[in-house]
Amino acid sequence: MSDATIRSMFIAPSLLAANFTRLGEETMRINRTGADWLHLDIMDGHFVPNISFGPAVVKALRPLSKLIFDVHLMCAKPGILLEPFAQAGADRMTIHLELGAPVGSLIWKIRSLGKQVGLAINPPTSMSGLEPHLERVDSVLIMTVNPGFGGQEFITECLTKIQQAAAWRDKLGLRYRIAVDGGIHCNTAASCAAAGADTFISGTGLFEHKNLKAAVARMRKRVEAGAAE
Ligand code: DX5
Ligand code: ZN
């Protein structure tokens, strides 16, 4: 039995796909779905060509939910945002490998704020840069689209990266989660689970269904079956 089969599968709805005219109600709707994390996409208009929301919105939502707040920083200078998001109520913060040299100190800073650390990698970036950081992260986030927008198509070539992250985890005896983000619907989620992913971030793939709770349950069922393949 591979490690993936005994690990619990986490479903993380992305608030980016929610109705922005009522983020509070949407957060409370997500609370009732049985999801594991609430994924919060932070875009700065530099690292990605889009802008989403900042710490003030996260702070306003925090009292409405007991879910793990998973903050995905698609930002060129995340260093200036770590404390504000920690204070706003983030439980975990993910930065991008593409930032280069500052990654090591950013990981340390997130940890020193008492938060869980995620490290994300974009589709065109080589996996080799990830390896030196693996012992210091709680999750590896394999981007399965180029970040910046919801509703894009899953890039199938990223499946081999999931396999690589899972092989390293086994070989090194580590326990980081393997998350996927972008174009995650039931079918693509099941393929990712079969490749070794255990955490499924999904915006459109969940919110396109009127019954969000049923959509979360359906995705969970598919990834549990996918992991057992
Ligand atoms: C993309 C974001 C994702 C986004 C996914 O840049 O990081 O979290 O919300 O959206 P879907 O699931 O619609 O591809
Ligand atoms: Zn994201």
Side-chain angles (χ1 to χ4, degrees), residues 14 16 39 41 43 72 74 143 147-151 181-183 202-204:
S14 170
L16 196 68
H39 186 76
D41 285 303
M43 303 176 178
H72 179 191
M74 287 162 276
M143 289 304 303
F149 300 91
D181 184 7
S202 176
T204 311

Side-chain angles (χ1 to χ4, degrees), residues 135-154:
E135 289 187 5
R136 283 179 291 279
V137 300
D138 299 295
S139 58
V140 167
L141 171 52
I142 309 288
M143 289 304 303
T144 42
V145 299
N146 288 303
F149 300 91
Q152 302 183 76
E153 201 169 322
F154 180 82

